[in-house]
Structure formats: structure tokens, C-alpha cells
Amino acid sequence: MPEAIQIARPTPYASSRDFCRIFHEETDSLYRLSFLLTAEREKAEQCLVSGLDDSLKGSRVFKEWARSWARRAIIQNAVRVINPRQIEENAPSGFNSRGKTLVAEQAEIAAILELAPLERFVFVILVLEHYSEHECSVLLGCSRRDVIGARIRALQQIGSAMEFQIRQQVNVGLWKPALDDNCRAVLELQLAPYLATSA
């Protein structure tokens, strides 16, 4: 009797090769996430490498979830490295406007990096990565109330930082009203749901 031919079926789980491909193709995006969380280049690199290692050695996940799993691994590593809750009490909070003049693209990043660690993590996880308040509180090991408070402070401080940047542009003659008013309107639309839930 002839032996049955076994057809290799594709596995629904992400393989090591899948994760390596994701980290290779999305290095810039994953590094940016790590850098925004850690605010330090060396720690960002450390979290990126640890995120790949955790993805390769961690639990099996479906292929469709591999990208979000990789991003989550980086967030978890950044939380371990920085521990934003622990240093929150000692960290200065608020925008530090020491007369920095930044180009527009760098101003947004600088505003995020100048946040206190807890506010920075909450802003990146909630607003940029679109996690829920509950997921964010679980990742950070703090209460939902702490997450909501940190989000409000982060949005206020980023608003102040961007307002400072606009004033700087006005002072040096770089203000472009039509473009900046459009950007402001888009930003207000994007922030409206977050501000409405915090009121």
C-alpha cells in the first residue's frame, strides 16, 4: 500500500523567521517607538534588541498578531528598563522651554521627550500606539486613574510645548498662518476624543 503523501500546511503561528522579517522591515518604526519611550538612544537600542529576543523566545502568537506583538515586546522592555512609575516621583514634570528653537519636525518629538516618564509612556502607549486605558494601566502596573491623570498632564504639556514652538517661529519670522492653522485644526480634531473623555 502506497504511503500517504503529507502536504505541509502553513502554520497559523508566527515563526522566528516572521519576527526577524518584521524587525528588519520595520526597524525605523520600532526604534522610534523605543526611543520615544526611553528618551535615550542606548536604552532604545537595548529595548529594540530585547524586543526581538523576547519575540523569538516568547509564547507562540498568530501570524496576524506578530507586528503588534513585536511592538508590545518593545513597550514591555522599555517599562522594565525605565520603570516610569518608580521614577515618577523624582522626575521633573512639565515642558522645559530653555529657548530651544527646533525645526517643526523635531518639535513634536522634543515635546514628547520632555515629558516626565509616566506621562511620556502613557502618551505613547495611548495616543500613538492606540492601546486602551485598561491595557495601558496593565502594562505600566498602575491604576486607570493614574493613566487618565498622566494622559491629561501629557496633553497639556505637549500643547504648551507646541504653543511655545509657534511663538518661537513667530519671533524669528517662520510663522506660516495658513499651514499652521490647518495643522492646528487637524491636531484639535485628533485630540478632541481624548480631551472629551478626561473632562
Side-chain angles (χ1 to χ4, degrees), residues 95-182:
F95 176 65
N96 184 0
S97 54
R98 291 183 220 143
K100 294 180 183 175
T101 305
L102 299 167
V103 295
E105 301 84 46
Q106 294 173 340
E108 292 87 0
I109 292 173
I112 295 169
L113 296 178
E114 291 208 21
L115 293 171
L118 183 61
E119 283 86 358
R120 187 174 66 245
F121 272 76
V122 167
F123 181 82
V124 171
I125 294 169
L126 282 181
V127 178
L128 301 182
E129 292 297 308
H130 308 290
Y131 278 75
S132 70
E133 290 170 354
H134 174 73
E135 289 172 311
C136 184
S137 69
V138 169
L139 282 167
L140 296 175
C142 61
S143 72
R144 205 165 158 248
R145 181 183 206 130
D146 291 338
V147 167
I148 292 168
R151 179 188 64 195
I152 292 168
R153 290 189 302 275
L155 291 172
Q156 288 170 339
Q157 292 166 21
I158 287 175
S160 296
M162 298 317 297
E163 186 177 333
F164 174 77
Q165 178 63 24
I166 289 170
R167 272 193 250 119
Q168 289 292 94
Q169 289 177 355
V170 168
N171 290 341
V172 296
L174 296 176
W175 175 254
K176 298 174 186 169
L179 177 62
D180 289 331
D181 286 344
N182 286 338

Side-chain angles (χ1 to χ4, degrees), residues 6-7 19 29 56 60 67-68 82 93 96 110 113-114 116-118 183 197:
Q6 291 189 355
I7 299 172
F19 280 114
S29 172
L56 295 174
R60 295 177 68 178
R67 280 184 167 67
S68 60
I82 301 297
S93 185
N96 184 0
L113 296 178
E114 291 208 21
L118 183 61
C183 291
T197 58

Side-chain angles (χ1 to χ4, degrees), residues 37-57:
L37 290 167
T38 62
E40 292 182 34
R41 295 197 185 282
E42 282 183 21
K43 289 181 180 177
E45 292 168 7
Q46 176 187 346
C47 289
L48 184 65
V49 172
S50 297
L52 174 58
D53 191 48
D54 289 352
S55 296
L56 295 174
K57 294 178 181 174

Side-chain angles (χ1 to χ4, degrees), residues 50-95:
S50 297
L52 174 58
D53 191 48
D54 289 352
S55 296
L56 295 174
K57 294 178 181 174
S59 302
R60 295 177 68 178
V61 296
F62 291 115
K63 283 186 181 184
E64 302 85 47
W65 298 350
R67 280 184 167 67
S68 60
W69 190 262
R71 297 184 81 77
R72 187 180 187 92
I74 288 173
I75 292 170
Q76 289 172 324
N77 276 287
V79 170
R80 277 194 293 271
V81 168
I82 301 297
N83 196 355
R85 274 191 8 222
Q86 183 180 21
I87 59 176
E88 177 64 14
E89 297 168 3
N90 304 326
S93 185
F95 176 65

